[in-house]
Amino acid sequence: MRVKQGELLDSPGPGALVRVALNRPMREEYTYFVPPGTEPAPQVGMRVAVSFAGRREVGIVTELPEETDVPASRLKPLSAVLDDEPVLDAQLLKLTHFMASYYACSWGEALSAVLPAVLKREGGRRKVVQLRPAEGVGAEQLAQLEDKHEAQFRVLRTLLEASGPLERGDLLRKLNVSPSPVQTLEKKGWIVAELVEAGLDELLAAPAERRSKPAQLTAEQEVAVGALTARVRAGGFEAFLLRGVTGSGKTEVYLSVIEEVLAAGRGAIVLVPEIALTPQTVGWFRGRFGQVAVLHSRMTDAQRHDAWRMIRRGEARVVVGARSALFAPMPDLGIVIVDEEHEPSFKQGSTPRYHARDMAVLRARDAEAVCVLGSATPSLESWENARQGRYTLLTMDKRVHGGQLPSVEVVDLRVEKAEGPFSGPLELALKGVLERGEQAILFQNRRGFAPVLWCRACRMVVRCAQCDSSLVFHKRHQRVVCHSCCEEQHIPSACPSCTAPGLRFLGDGSERVEEAVLARFPAARVARMDSDTMHRREDYEEVLGAFGRGDLDVLVGTQMIAKGLDFPRVTLVGIISADGSLHLPDLRASERTFQLLSQVAGRAGRGELAGRILIQTHTPDHPAIVQAARHDYLTFASGEMELREELSYPPFGRLARVLLEDEDSSRVEQAGASLAAILQEHLDPAEAQVLGPAPAPMALVRGRHRAHLLIKAPGRGEGLAPARGILQAFAERNPRPRVTIDIDPVSML
Ligand code: ADP
Ligand code: ZN
């Protein structure tokens, strides 16, 4: 028997049918009927509670269908309607629907990226738990745990090292431990957990006006702002790629255009790569516009929800945030800006694996808004879109203060033998900076002291037993650590494979760089910024604040210091080794290296003082290094594009990556082979090519074997369309091995 809406009732509410999207991997939404007397009447975009597989779940109404194929006897009732009005508008529903089909996930999974966590469950707000050591707890307790309760030991050690309470969720994620060691420590009374509910005031904290409006735009800024405001005034969609060298004043362009957008009564969303790492940028936006809603990953659920409601009510007309801020429910959106658009962090690493930059363009188009993608080193995808005329290119080649781009010298480590992290030229340059009372940034994208433990007898590198990664020596903790699974061990006194004594610690991690500076320049005031030293947002702010005030001379750090920092007294940037990222087995290794070097180099010479960059490398002739040293994006891009075109790699083709993971390696192999066979059978090789399966570059992580398979489709990837359905069906049918589908992957590891 088919149920028709009309047969049951005409009046709103009871008897109607609803389609509901649930945050589960399923290809279709489910239909429920609305029992008589349900209040309020469900509408598209409202949250509802339903029972699914015996559990009560929250879903979103996506449709009020007239009829359904589900037999009436099997149709289940809606349990409750949770909202008085839709929490999602038609545009966001449309965007998430597209995301589900493009990224091969369910609509409910795509919607889960949009809603604040509070709205994804029933019941009230969940507060956050903050942890701190109990009064009087210290080294003594730590010693009792050592070698007996590793996880508890690491939790307590981290809490003792932190400058204040840490959020439980953050801590568990960072240390990669389960909640139980925390509970045990609580029971022992060694740590204290506190429920906190941060209020709105922190969200709206009065801005410190850190950057005043410049008296005059530069000529290049004028041109860019002119083009953008013309489009804002005329209305309608247009996507722009703003390629502006570091220090050319891109932020000022964003601020000026947003002023125009606000004057037109419309709202703005600004996406930045890692909000926790860009306190300066946030300060600039707050300084200019006051009521700026900031959305970042370290906010509590309640804060996020408050911000979300303020935005919906039109009380905050500017939103600055990381990736997910793209889905802020901004009414009458006038502009979406993606700063540092080339950053891989705009791609979400879990389902739905969307790319916020690409979705930003779509959201702007749906909203008839302007989209600006800004970068000194645009992704080749965006560059190609600009070349094809899909995006309007705006260029700013000069630095604001007329300053030269800093001069870059490449130090060939094959010739200039470095003792420890510093070659002769870098040490000399650092000496000069310290004598003149200027500041230096030293960049080394590996944390720990020595990244490699090497046995000179059997010439083996010591690896983690559970992962495909080498163990890293951390000197302060006197431990070796796997950066993949976070397991720690005592320093082995002998080679685990041949038992010869005397392992050597090779390579320079950020910890060793810091030590080396202090060893050579004992009077220097040095701070290190990496995830071993920075536990809380306040830590960054403190270190950056001190550096800004001139209380520090040298800042050593990992990629945490690559982005957005604007300190006029920095005259030297030393890149300890440019080689690490160059040799990753990834099609974008060269592009990433170029981008990272350019970005780090851009931290010097931003004020009146000239800047100097030294790049240390064993491969001085690599195009990524040569062109980064020349600040020559165009030459780098055109060379790299040729290589990509030959191989039909992005942007001349699209990729889908399937990752298979399981403890049992034969299961991974079999699943990989059978998936490849299914794909070969159904895909036209002219439209989509199947590569693999092959072991993933990280073939073992936490005891799980990993294989991957790539599907490559030329052009704009139409050939991937049939693959999506096949992959989703395969993933649904096979609970093991775990299958992960990644469309347009940004990492192949
Ligand atoms: P980018 O983001 O392109 O690297 P920024 O926007 O951070 O560059 O600007 C670099 C510096 O120049 C900042 O200190 C900024 O305050 C300053 N600046 C930007 N535009 C102007 C201008 N028109 N006049 C004077 N200073 C400016
Ligand atoms: Zn490991």
Side-chain angles (χ1 to χ4, degrees), residues 145-166:
L145 295 173
E146 188 159 14
D147 299 330
K148 292 191 205 85
H149 305 285
E150 253 322 277
Q152 289 179 47
F153 172 76
R154 281 160 54 214
V155 168
L156 185 60
R157 185 185 67 200
T158 310
L159 289 173
L160 287 169
E161 281 174 1
S163 57
L166 298 181

Side-chain angles (χ1 to χ4, degrees), residues 279-301:
Q280 274 193 317
T281 315
V282 174
W284 297 327
F285 281 87
R286 284 205 166 141
R288 192 69 66 85
F289 301 118
Q291 286 239 329
V292 172
V294 178
L295 297 172
H296 58 81
S297 59
R298 286 166 170 268
M299 284 165 93
T300 68
D301 291 353

Side-chain angles (χ1 to χ4, degrees), residues 560-582:
M560 242 175 224
I561 58 171
K563 276 173 224 145
L565 305 185
D566 184 21
F567 295 109
R569 293 200 58 78
V570 172
T571 54
L572 172 70
V573 169
I575 293 160
I576 305 299
S577 169
D579 303 337
S581 61
L582 211 47

Side-chain angles (χ1 to χ4, degrees), residues 210-211 246-247 249 251 277 280-281 284 399-401 439 441 544 547-548 561-570 602-607:
R210 301 206 208 180
R211 183 192 267 199
T246 53
T251 312
L277 308 183
Q280 274 193 317
T281 315
W284 297 327
R399 285 197 143 180
V400 168
H401 299 290
Q439 290 179 311
I441 288 179
L544 293 181
F547 198 57
I561 58 171
K563 276 173 224 145
L565 305 185
D566 184 21
F567 295 109
R569 293 200 58 78
V570 172
R603 301 307 116 218
R606 294 176 69 91

